[in-house]
Amino acid sequence: MNDWPDAWSDDNRNNRYGRGSANAQPESARVMRQVPRGQGGPYAQNPAAPPYGGGVPQQQQYAGDQSQDPYGNGNGGGYDSGYNTGQVYGGAPSGGGPGGGPAGPGAMSGPRPAPNWRKRIKWTAITVVTLLVVVSVGTYFWADSKLNRQVDLSKVIDRPDGGKGTNYLIVGSDSREGMSAEEKKALHTGSAEGKRTDSMMILHTGDNGPTLISLPRDSDVEIPTFVGSESGKTFKGTGKHTKLNAAYATDGPELLVRTVEFNTGLRIDHYVEIGFAGFANIVDAVGGVDLTIPKGGMKDTKSGANFAAGEQTLNGEQALAFVRTRYALAGSDLDRTKNQQKFLAALASQTATPGTILNPFKLYPTMSAGLDTLIVDKDMGLFDLADMFWAMKGVTGGDGKSMNMPISGSTGGNLVWDKTKVKTLVNELKNDEKVTVSGN
């Protein structure tokens, strides 16, 4: 009988649990003798004769530390599972080689390189700047195309010499053009045809701060010789005096500029006009204007004003009523011009704020509402318009001065200017000097 594991005898087969066994009880577990790889043993002398027959090559001997032998045999050729080198999956040891591994074709990528933040910041900045330039240029051309350049100051004759700084003639007209019957009723404008000047101001900008001067519409002036803006005919002056707003009613903006220049000696560089509807729309577009109503409040059935004393926010309808009120004021037209200055300066100050300029949902409606209704001279540009608004804001901020044209008295219901003070005022504006004259 042969010893295991070479063969089994017939007797052993019959007495063992298994095929053909007569014994119903299983045999006990048999312990298999462990033979280290590469060591001695029954087959060490004849490695080509494996225990189960030929055809199976000798197994490769694995080098490794004995302490890493998973079976704890302590043999010098300790078992290496290959998990530490990637050979379990057919890869090469780390360090690269043909067959894979981290440097091979099937290897996983190494650590991702750190992002180049300097390059990212550079391209982000370039993108933002480019976007801002494109938006700014587009906005400029959009806004410039909306300006109504209708007034031709080249038609004004015998103009005085220009001085330092810039002079704007700002006119608020009572034009109802484009207003529906409901709007006229809501704004208490009435339905008079045509348009007249409801307010007139000279705004001077220069190195010594802005100066805002109101010209009462009842000012006593002489209408000089002029050339008709439409007919081109020359109309000789008669020397007759009339109210200032009659000049506008006679031949529009060009004659008004001619009359102001003739009676003051101050050259007007730019003309800006806004009607009732445009004024109300601008106020609504900026979300209303904060204003303090003086003690006693204000109530005028003709303008629609009905305000309690104290600080409040006026919408477009209320703002128009405020600047048009005259019969409820002790000083009538003179007090009204002061209220107009006060409100326009507050409007400019509220418009030229980061909350409006940096908010496209407020900026574009405000610009659209203003540009659609403003009438300016043909040489007026957006930068001139911006200069005017910033100067108006400066008046509110204390960097400038606001005043009425100096008045010496009245005649036949017309307000007579103080000629001495007016002469001093005009000389200071021409030379861009600090204004020392005070008005009424």
Side-chain angles (χ1 to χ4, degrees), residues 128-422:
V128 171
V129 170
T130 302
L131 182 61
L132 288 176
V133 170
V134 171
V135 171
S136 299
V137 171
T139 299
Y140 175 85
F141 284 105
W142 167 78
D144 187 73
S145 66
K146 294 178 76 66
L147 276 178
N148 298 316
R149 298 182 174 93
Q150 298 181 13
V151 181
D152 189 356
L153 296 183
S154 67
K155 295 180 180 179
V156 180
I157 63 173
D158 301 332
R159 308 192 68 186
D161 295 333
K164 298 179 181 178
T166 304
N167 299 310
Y168 300 87
L169 181 59
I170 304 172
V171 176
S173 74
D174 63 358
S175 172
R176 284 92 171 162
E177 184 177 354
M179 296 174 63
S180 65
E182 291 77 12
E183 289 174 327
K184 292 177 183 178
K185 183 178 180 180
L187 297 176
H188 302 273
T189 64
S191 300
E193 296 296 330
K195 59 182 180 179
R196 287 150 294 278
T197 51
D198 206 58
S199 62
M200 292 161 283
M201 303 178 188
I202 294 175
L203 175 65
H204 174 83
T205 65
D207 294 335
N208 284 290
T211 302
L212 185 62
I213 307 160
S214 286
L215 309 175
R217 68 177 190 174
D218 293 339
S219 297
D220 186 77
V221 296
E222 177 185 343
I223 296 183
T225 299
F226 69 95
V227 175
S229 58
E230 297 295 334
S231 66
K233 294 173 58 176
T234 299
F235 296 87
K236 294 291 184 179
T238 62
K240 180 182 178 180
H241 282 233
T242 185
K243 293 181 179 181
L244 181 58
N245 64 347
Y248 186 97
T250 300
D251 197 54
E254 287 85 0
L255 179 54
L256 177 61
V257 171
R258 166 76 171 128
T259 302
V260 170
E261 289 184 344
F262 178 82
N263 286 269
T264 63
L266 185 68
R267 186 183 180 96
I268 300 300
D269 298 297
H270 292 293
Y271 177 91
V272 181
E273 177 186 327
I274 187 169
F276 283 162
F279 180 82
N281 290 340
I282 292 176
V283 174
D284 285 335
V286 298
V289 174
D290 298 329
L291 205 68
T292 301
I293 304 299
K295 185 177 180 180
M298 181 185 297
K299 188 172 183 179
D300 184 357
T301 56
K302 291 190 176 181
S303 68
N306 187 11
F307 307 116
E311 186 174 348
Q312 50 195 289
T313 301
L314 305 185
N315 60 24
E317 177 185 338
Q318 294 169 327
L320 186 59
F322 177 80
V323 299
R324 293 183 62 222
T325 296
R326 64 182 299 195
Y327 296 104
L329 304 175
S332 188
D333 200 37
L334 289 178
D335 283 349
R336 181 174 75 155
T337 57
K338 294 177 182 178
N339 282 341
Q340 290 170 347
Q341 290 177 348
K342 178 180 180 181
F343 185 86
L344 289 178
L347 173 61
S349 179
Q350 193 158 323
T351 302
T353 59
T356 299
I357 296 175
L358 300 180
N359 184 354
F361 297 103
K362 184 176 286 189
L363 174 64
Y364 285 99
T366 302
M367 292 179 65
S368 181
L371 297 174
D372 280 342
T373 54
L374 286 179
I375 296 175
V376 300
D377 65 90
K378 293 188 175 181
D379 293 327
M380 186 80 161
L382 288 178
F383 291 109
D384 299 313
L385 197 60
D387 176 65
M388 185 190 78
F389 272 100
W390 281 107
M392 293 284 288
K393 181 181 179 182
V395 172
T396 303
D399 296 331
K401 181 176 183 177
S402 61
M403 58 182 288
N404 277 328
M405 185 66 80
I407 303 296
S408 62
S410 64
T411 177
N414 295 351
L415 299 174
V416 179
W417 294 350
D418 187 322
K419 293 183 179 180
T420 302
K421 288 186 176 181
V422 169

